[in-house]
Amino acid sequence: EKIGHACIGCQFSADTDRNLFLMCIFCSVLSASVQPKRVLVICSHSETSDYAENMLSPLVELSHNREDIRIFTAYLRMTSLSGVDELRERVHQIAEEFTPRPDLVVIVGGSGYMLADCIEKNWPGMPMVLAGENDYICPPDYTIRGIADDSVEHKPVAELRPSDNMTLIYAPVYVDRTIELLKSLIPSLENIYIVAGENYYSRQQQILFEKTLSEFYPSIHYELLLSTEMTTEQLIGRMQYVNPEKDGVIFMSWLNHNDYMKNLFISNNVLRMIDDYAPVVSMSYCDLSSVKSTLGFWSFDFGAYNSALTSTVLSVLDNGVQPRDMDFVTIKEGMPFVNVAALEKYNIPKKYAP
């Protein structure tokens, strides 16, 4: 007979050696007792953000395809934190509650990279995969709170090695391509309005956009519209004066620290509010089916990212490869995504789309 899942394909006659028979039963019991591999994902963004949904999608798919892998996700909502002490306390709580220790930790979002040292202290030698938009780490105090400042220290992620058992999947924001997309759709572009929040992700990209516009597009005037300096009502009011023939908007975020949960709901819907009044491109991935008047976005190659994250995770779980022995991966730029309905709304000819 066929004995258990571990012994499928092994057939025995009535006079099969008893020891061999018992050994097969023992193998079956061992197979039944094998525990699934456990992956802890720590995401520095909120669970409702498009960024989190996009960056975590390969892991969601992996959990559906592999019954022997269980994935647990903790959302830190970095913008809600009061400071470094609260962050450390949250990480300590996660480590205490997550027992036994996971087989792998995946940290998603550039503002979460600084957690690698905390993970190493709680779980020495823990394999870690960092995935996000930066290849550097800023000081914790600045990461959690502060205004955009290019003069703060930028420590290369590579310096976490060899003390931390980690590797990096770097999925950058393609700033120049985003600007080119807006210029392509609005050939007579004269003014760009940058809508930016207080969160670290937005602050760092704001710096990149300002530097790129100043250096490579000096003829284009840009203006910052910051969540720390105006209300949502004032932002919407400002959008009503945008001239779609020569003005464009780049949306980053609208988060700030004040009344975080209420602000989170508003921030998640601001893009849907302002794209009714002005031609907007998103700095990063957004669900164009839910923001029907947003022109589009130009981001990294999603297929390459999905493949890199999945293969890296499986190399650790299936083959025992240590992250510190893996090369860092930089995800190449992808194709632009353009919303045809938004083009029609703003009378933009389809031939302008790259």
Side-chain angles (χ1 to χ4, degrees):
E1 295 180 338
K2 296 180 180 180
I3 309 295
H5 293 293
C7 302
I8 289 178
C10 301
Q11 295 186 336
F12 304 96
S13 61
D15 57 350
T16 300
D17 184 272
R18 181 174 180 274
N19 290 333
L20 183 58
F21 180 78
L22 291 176
M23 183 177 71
C24 260
I25 293 179
F26 180 64
C27 288
S28 179
V29 171
L30 281 181
S31 176
S33 65
V34 171
Q35 296 298 314
K37 298 293 180 65
R38 303 164 80 241
V39 179
L40 172 61
V41 180
I42 301 177
C43 182
S44 59
H45 294 250
S46 76
E47 60 271 36
T48 59
S49 70
D50 283 339
Y51 181 88
E53 179 182 352
N54 187 45
M55 296 292 283
L56 297 178
S57 60
L59 300 175
V60 173
E61 183 176 354
L62 183 61
S63 69
H64 290 161
N65 295 336
R66 291 281 300 264
E67 294 183 357
D68 59 333
I69 296 176
R70 298 187 64 190
I71 296 177
F72 306 83
T73 303
Y75 296 91
L76 285 182
R77 300 172 177 172
M78 298 290 281
T79 313
S80 70
L81 300 176
S82 60
V84 177
D85 289 342
E86 184 179 357
L87 172 64
R88 289 173 178 159
E89 177 60 26
R90 286 197 188 182
V91 175
H92 182 68
Q93 289 175 353
I94 291 171
E96 280 192 331
E97 294 173 3
F98 203 90
T99 55
R101 60 181 270 163
D103 298 285
L104 172 67
V105 172
V106 179
I107 299 175
V108 175
S111 58
Y113 292 174
M114 61 181 175
L115 301 177
D117 285 340
C118 296
I119 297 298
E120 171 62 26
K121 289 176 182 177
N122 282 280
W123 293 314
M126 173 61 65
M128 288 179 279
V129 177
L130 278 56
E133 72 284 359
N134 299 330
D135 59 357
Y136 60 84
I137 304 172
C138 289
D141 286 329
Y142 171 79
T143 301
I144 295 174
R145 284 181 177 269
I147 60 174
D149 183 0
D150 194 34
S151 67
V152 300
E153 179 188 9
H154 288 55
K155 173 183 174 182
V157 171
E159 292 186 10
L160 291 173
R161 288 176 168 177
S163 59
D164 294 350
N165 185 13
M166 54 71 63
T167 192
L168 172 68
I169 299 175
Y170 173 39
V173 173
Y174 285 94
V175 172
D176 53 344
R177 293 301 194 189
T178 302
I179 298 172
E180 286 177 17
L181 174 61
L182 193 56
K183 277 179 56 64
S184 175
L185 298 176
I186 308 176
S188 56
L189 184 67
E190 296 180 6
N191 304 293
I192 291 180
Y193 298 93
I194 299 175
V195 179
E198 194 176 9
N199 52 312
Y200 175 79
Y201 179 75
S202 181
R203 281 183 279 136
Q204 296 309 100
Q205 306 318 318
Q206 172 193 325
I207 292 170
L208 285 178
F209 272 92
E210 288 190 86
K211 291 171 67 174
T212 303
L213 285 168
S214 297
E215 183 173 354
F216 298 106
Y217 304 93
S219 63
I220 297 178
H221 173 268
Y222 71 88
E223 180 180 343
L224 295 175
L225 304 177
L226 305 178
S227 66
T228 54
E229 297 180 359
M230 61 195 314
T231 66
T232 304
E233 291 74 16
Q234 289 172 327
L235 173 66
I236 294 173
R238 185 69 185 85
M239 291 294 99
Q240 296 180 43
Y241 291 95
V242 168
N243 182 345
E245 294 184 0
K246 62 179 183 178
D247 301 339
V249 180
I250 294 176
F251 179 79
M252 299 183 181
S253 167
W254 197 242
L255 282 172
N256 62 51
H257 290 287
N258 296 326
D259 198 358
Y260 175 78
M261 291 308 297
K262 177 182 178 181
N263 181 258
L264 177 62
F265 174 79
I266 294 173
S267 178
N268 287 340
N269 289 281
V270 160
L271 182 56
R272 297 167 180 83
M273 298 176 188
I274 66 175
D275 68 8
D276 270 341
Y277 301 100
V280 184
V281 297
S282 175
M283 175 189 67
S284 55
Y285 168 85
C286 64
D287 182 0
L288 293 180
S289 66
S290 65
V291 283
K292 300 185 184 300
S293 297
T294 297
L295 294 177
F297 61 92
W298 198 324
S299 188
F300 55 83
D301 186 317
F302 299 120
Y305 169 75
N306 293 351
S307 177
L309 183 57
T310 302
S311 62
T312 300
V313 168
L314 292 181
S315 291
V316 175
L317 298 181
D318 291 348
N319 303 321
V321 179
Q322 295 304 305
R324 63 164 56 96
D325 298 327
M326 298 180 182
D327 293 333
F328 287 1
V329 176
T330 298
I331 306 301
K332 63 183 180 180
E333 70 178 59
M335 296 177 61
F337 288 77
V338 177
N339 189 343
V340 175
L343 297 184
E344 294 173 351
K345 174 181 175 65
Y346 289 105
N347 298 314
I348 299 173
K350 293 180 183 179
K351 65 180 182 180
Y352 289 171

